[in-house]
Amino acid sequence: MEKNNSKITFGGNPVTLVGREPKPGESAPEFTVTGNDLKPVHLTDFDGKVKVIAVYPSIDTSVCAAQNRRFNQEAEKLNDVVVLSISCDLPFAQQRFCAAEGLNNIVTLSDHKDLDFGTKYGFVMEELRLLARGTVIIGKDNKIKYVEYVPEVTNEPDYDKALEEVKKLI
């Protein structure tokens, strides 16, 4: 399996990212993940919208919870934008968290089954079989516009930079 050249750490320890690292300007690779209803969800299901993919390791950590709250808050202000929140958590855990927190503006999706998103976008932490933290922004034309791999997984993404990119597209 291809290794990603991005250097990241988890709790200060280096981890290996597996999968291809996408670059801005490239066509966004199609992927299949699992929705809260346990049915397959595809990137193409969101054609015609700007797509913000918020990637995180586990909804059951404080940083991941904060990331989802923030993107949910921002999504409420953005037209023609969908926030796809992707982790390897089971759909049940994602749904439980969003219900408890009142998060209705993000779409939680699970990559637990095949790691299809994670390997096509280079976010799989080989040592943990979890997704690293980051953000991918895809334009309405399905071209990648922005990719962030957060250097230390226990830190939050650069929301301001990501939102700046999104605002250029709407």
Side-chain angles (χ1 to χ4, degrees):
M1 177 78 55
E2 183 177 347
K3 308 290 184 196
N4 181 326
N5 289 324
S6 292
K7 305 292 183 213
I8 68 162
T9 56
F10 187 92
N13 299 308
V15 291
T16 307
L17 292 181
V18 175
R20 187 180 172 286
E21 182 179 354
K23 304 283 187 217
E26 295 178 349
S27 292
E30 174 64 26
F31 60 82
T32 304
V33 288
T34 304
N36 287 337
D37 59 1
L38 302 180
K39 293 182 178 164
V41 176
H42 311 277
L43 178 62
T44 52
D45 294 341
F46 304 97
D47 279 355
K49 292 189 174 284
V50 172
K51 294 157 281 292
V52 176
I53 303 177
V55 191
Y56 61 98
S58 175
I59 199 68
D60 291 318
T61 67
S62 61
V63 178
C64 297
Q67 178 179 342
N68 277 281
R69 286 184 200 111
R70 175 69 185 271
F71 275 118
N72 183 75
Q73 178 185 31
E74 297 297 339
E76 189 171 27
K77 306 172 198 170
L78 303 169
N79 293 323
D80 286 333
V81 176
V82 62
V83 176
L84 308 177
S85 182
I86 302 179
S87 72
C88 287
D89 290 306
L90 293 176
F92 314 111
Q94 294 171 331
Q95 192 172 27
R96 172 187 41 79
F97 174 80
C98 287
E101 295 282 330
L103 305 185
N104 301 316
N105 301 314
I106 58 174
V107 178
T108 54
L109 300 167
S110 177
D111 202 23
H112 83 281
K113 189 175 176 185
D114 298 319
L115 294 174
D116 192 47
F117 166 80
T119 54
K120 288 180 178 173
Y121 286 76
F123 278 92
V124 178
M125 292 185 287
E126 184 174 52
E127 295 83 356
L128 302 170
R129 200 187 183 282
L130 294 172
L131 301 181
R133 184 175 321 284
T135 309
V136 178
I137 297 172
I138 301 169
K140 291 179 184 181
D141 60 358
N142 282 328
K143 299 282 187 197
I144 295 171
K145 306 298 184 184
Y146 173 84
V147 180
E148 177 193 15
Y149 295 92
V150 177
E152 168 53 53
V153 176
T154 61
N155 293 336
E156 292 182 58
D158 187 339
Y159 302 111
D160 292 337
K161 193 166 183 185
L163 292 167
E164 182 181 309
E165 290 298 320
V166 169
K167 289 174 183 170
K168 292 177 188 174
L169 301 172
I170 55 175

